[in-house]
Amino acid sequence: MAPDISSSQPAVEGYTKPTEVCPPGPKGVPLLGSLPALGSDILGFFTQCVREYGDVVSFRLAGWPAILLGHPDLAEKVLVKEASNFVKHRLFWRHVEAIFGQGLLTSEGAFWHRQRRVAAPGFSVGGVVAAKAADIG
């Protein structure tokens, strides 16, 4: 079972205010955060983070906060079941979209769902085999 990723602080003087509670994670280095570790070995960095901090890890990429989900159930929750509660578009994503366009990485909502349906066959076993055969031939 995947861990619960929602959180809020108790009422203070009769007022309940959700707060940004960050999961544990590597501190990184000043200004760059975890960019050097991520850049030198991305898979090793992610693997070590999940082993050391658990299924939900927070870290910084330069000045930007990032969250790593190390359990497939959490990824499904964020990307499929509760996607409307997790919004991508902030300043950082506007820059990413300017570079990569509006694709699976940057889009959201109904547009993302349409793109996902179109792309899904390419990620099936048959689609990967066909792509590999086309690459070889």
Side-chain angles (χ1 to χ4, degrees):
M1 170 126 185
D4 182 19
I5 59 174
S6 59
S7 168
S8 65
Q9 280 216 339
V12 176
E13 297 179 6
Y15 178 70
T16 302
K17 178 183 176 189
T19 60
E20 265 188 54
V21 177
C22 289
K27 300 294 180 222
V29 297
L31 299 176
L32 297 177
S34 295
L35 276 176
L38 188 69
S40 66
D41 179 11
I42 191 168
L43 185 57
F45 174 76
F46 288 158
T47 302
Q48 179 184 356
C49 282
V50 171
R51 284 185 183 148
E52 191 170 335
Y53 300 105
D55 288 328
V56 182
V57 181
S58 69
F59 56 97
R60 296 192 75 71
L61 299 173
W64 300 99
I67 300 290
L68 170 65
L69 302 176
H71 193 284
D73 290 345
L74 291 175
E76 181 182 27
K77 183 176 183 175
V78 170
L79 296 173
V80 179
K81 293 181 179 177
E82 297 183 27
S84 63
N85 293 329
F86 297 92
V87 179
K88 295 178 189 174
H89 285 280
R90 291 190 176 185
L91 182 62
F92 171 77
W93 284 104
R94 285 188 215 125
H95 292 296
V96 172
E97 188 174 287
I99 295 167
F100 294 105
Q102 203 173 27
L104 281 172
L105 177 66
T106 58
S107 63
E108 296 184 285
F111 185 70
W112 178 83
H113 280 283
R114 283 193 304 277
Q115 289 183 317
R116 183 173 175 253
R117 269 186 254 121
V118 168
F123 292 99
S124 68
V125 173
V128 172
V129 170
K132 187 67 176 171
D135 190 39
I136 293 171

